[in-house]
Amino acid sequence: GSGNYEYSTDGGVTWQNSGIYNGLIAGSYNVMLRDADAPANMVNLSTIIITEPAILAATVSFTNETFAGANDGTIAVSAPSGGSGNYEFSIDGINWQASGNFTALAPGSYEVFIRDANATDCFISLMIVEIQPGTLLTADVDSTDVTCFGGSDGTITISNPQYGSGIYEYSIDGGLTWQDNGNYTGLFTGVYN
């Protein structure tokens, strides 16, 4: 040709002076070259197919705080797919980690993200998780007084415990000692916490 060239990636519909094409989306491109001084002198160079990875995706599960103040909520991201196959995860969009497991979470709102570890600007929000606060433990407490002065036949019965894990221990001395049932007998007159 003449040494002056024009280029096209749409099969000759549009032409430009530069052979550099940026910002292309996935698709099929019919690449052509022509002599800018003799536009009828053209050639189809190639059909280029630009591919893209599948969209990022994953499954999110979570557990709420087990009891008030425990700060033991969890978020688990599993079965990641799409992208390059290497992933990082975040629950705030700022701090990223290779594991999809997040533990020791306080009650609150967390936005769960996944990103391609090989192309860190490729990320998506999977969902917003609300870790609910745990409920304070509750139970019914009944007592009977000592029947005679100086006696030791008082009782304390702790029943109907609720919330938490469902497995309970009981104390009547402010938490110094514990037992796995809520029945206390043979008690002297006194104050029991």
Side-chain angles (χ1 to χ4, degrees):
S2 67
N4 295 320
Y5 305 106
E6 291 181 325
Y7 309 88
S8 174
T9 59
D10 59 8
V13 175
T14 60
W15 296 87
Q16 69 180 38
N17 294 329
S18 169
I20 298 172
Y21 289 84
N22 293 316
L24 300 177
I25 63 171
S28 179
Y29 296 88
N30 185 10
V31 181
M32 298 183 70
L33 170 69
R34 77 178 179 186
D35 188 326
D37 296 332
N41 184 9
M42 68 178 78
V43 64
N44 188 350
L45 296 174
S46 178
T47 298
I48 302 290
I49 297 176
I50 294 180
T51 62
E52 66 182 339
I55 190 169
L56 294 167
T59 301
V60 177
S61 60
F62 66 96
T63 61
N64 291 317
E65 184 181 51
T66 55
F67 61 90
N71 293 336
D72 62 353
T74 66
I75 295 174
V77 185
S78 60
S81 62
S84 68
N86 293 318
Y87 307 103
E88 292 179 330
F89 309 92
S90 175
I91 56 173
D92 61 10
I94 299 168
N95 301 297
W96 295 86
Q97 64 183 41
S99 168
N101 295 319
F102 299 88
T103 59
L105 301 177
S109 180
Y110 299 89
E111 188 167 6
V112 183
F113 294 91
I114 182 174
R115 77 177 177 187
D116 189 323
N118 295 330
T120 57
D121 58 337
C122 295
F123 65 92
I124 63 166
S125 173
L126 295 169
M127 70 182 301
I128 295 176
V129 171
E130 291 288 336
I131 301 290
Q132 298 297 317
T135 305
L136 291 172
L137 298 174
T138 65
D140 298 327
V141 180
D142 295 309
S143 64
T144 60
D145 291 329
V146 174
T147 55
C148 296
F149 182 83
S152 62
D153 62 348
T155 66
I156 295 175
T157 303
I158 307 166
S159 61
N160 193 29
Q162 295 183 26
Y163 308 114
S165 68
I167 301 171
Y168 304 103
E169 292 182 326
Y170 308 87
S171 175
I172 59 170
D173 60 9
L176 295 176
T177 61
W178 296 87
Q179 67 182 40
D180 60 6
N181 71 69
N183 298 316
Y184 292 87
T185 59
L187 302 177
F188 294 96
T189 299
V191 176
Y192 296 90
N193 182 8

